[in-house]
Amino acid sequence: MSRSNEHIEKPQTAIKPPNPRLKSWKSVFNKLKKNKSAVVGGVLIILLIIIALVGPYLTPYDPLYDQDVTNKLATPSSDHWFGTDNFGRDIFSRVIQGTGLTLMIGFFSILLGATIGIFLGIIAGYYGKRTDSIIMRIMDVLLAFPSILLALTIVTVLGGSMFNVIIAVAISSIPIFARIVRGSTLSVKKLEYIDAMRALGASDSRIIFKHILPNITSPIIVQATLSIATAILSASGLSFLGLGAQPPTPEWGAMLSDGRNYLYNAPHVALFPGLAIVVAVLAFNLLGDGLRDAFDPKTRE
């Protein structure tokens, strides 16, 4: 009997190669961890999100209806950590409640603006020619206006409310994302593997959503993070002018507007909402700058 079968080697289990995209994200995360400013920004953002989710259930006073008219414009104390406003409402409770409102405006406005801007940018960059010209000329018209002025115009037409503020800030952010995505799309669509996909008969939608969009996420993430900071400033500015959140909504910009009348005799009324805006904007700017450095292939780990 032949013994040739006795030494047959067992088939080896195929080793799955590492996912290059996963490896790239790990590299970005490692770079981000080494950037102290980005870490500070990320920690602040996490704290703000926790405050927005949990804070309203832990506030010592109702931010809307608990009024102590005998204790108006009281300075910070053990009973009222941030003092009281001109209606005797606890400023600390109102600042905590306003965290969720401010973050909601920032996140949702940029989510809406980025979604529309990404779609228009990819369509313009991928198809080019007349489609590109029409879309980008519209974006140029929108970019001709300062973002806060454009948002102010839109809210003036639509009317003052938080929903209209989100719409206004979203529209003002569309051109920025459209231009960034268009430029990235123009670079990626010239690569050889895109030509190979076309030769294999892949549809335009498959090429766009499966091969182009995943490879241009880096600048989108960076711009989205920085744009949230701008959105918070714009929304607060509109509320400061009385075109955003309406009383008695505890929105930081509206609270800052109420406090401007008491800067001399009760500066704490405007101080703490103003500090809250500064911390939120600073946090997103620090994280955005860190993400920009982390996604840069020229930087070393």
Side-chain angles (χ1 to χ4, degrees), residues 122-167:
I122 285 184
I123 296 300
Y126 184 80
Y127 290 103
K129 298 181 180 179
R130 187 174 181 180
T131 302
D132 182 24
S133 298
I134 293 174
I135 292 175
M136 296 317 297
R137 293 302 75 76
I138 296 174
M139 297 300 105
D140 288 341
V141 171
L142 294 177
L143 281 172
F145 298 92
S147 58
I148 184 62
L149 181 59
L150 179 60
L152 179 62
T153 304
I154 295 171
V155 172
T156 303
V157 173
L158 297 179
S161 70
M162 285 183 57
F163 179 77
N164 290 341
V165 167
I166 292 176
I167 298 298

Side-chain angles (χ1 to χ4, degrees), residues 118-280:
I118 290 169
F119 174 77
L120 293 176
I122 285 184
I123 296 300
Y126 184 80
Y127 290 103
K129 298 181 180 179
R130 187 174 181 180
T131 302
D132 182 24
S133 298
I134 293 174
I135 292 175
M136 296 317 297
R137 293 302 75 76
I138 296 174
M139 297 300 105
D140 288 341
V141 171
L142 294 177
L143 281 172
F145 298 92
S147 58
I148 184 62
L149 181 59
L150 179 60
L152 179 62
T153 304
I154 295 171
V155 172
T156 303
V157 173
L158 297 179
S161 70
M162 285 183 57
F163 179 77
N164 290 341
V165 167
I166 292 176
I167 298 298
V169 175
I171 292 175
S172 65
S173 66
I174 289 174
I176 301 173
F177 285 96
R179 289 177 66 90
I180 290 174
V181 172
R182 173 186 176 269
S184 300
T185 302
L186 288 173
S187 299
V188 173
K189 81 170 188 176
K190 296 178 181 179
L191 300 178
E192 294 181 356
Y193 78 94
I194 299 296
D195 294 332
M197 293 303 302
R198 288 199 192 95
L200 292 173
S203 63
D204 289 344
S205 60
R206 180 179 176 83
I207 293 175
I208 289 173
F209 293 106
K210 191 174 179 61
H211 299 283
I212 293 181
L213 187 58
N215 287 285
I216 61 174
T217 53
S218 301
I220 294 174
I221 292 173
V222 173
Q223 184 58 47
T225 306
L226 295 172
S227 293
I228 291 175
T230 304
I232 291 174
L233 275 179
S234 298
S236 298
L238 293 172
S239 296
F240 182 85
L241 296 173
L243 296 173
Q246 301 300 308
T249 305
E251 200 274 336
W252 293 343
M255 294 173 63
L256 191 62
S257 178
D258 293 338
R260 64 179 170 173
N261 299 319
Y262 309 98
L263 290 177
Y264 293 104
N265 58 333
H268 64 276
V269 179
L271 174 63
F272 293 106
L275 286 177
I277 295 172
V278 170
V279 170

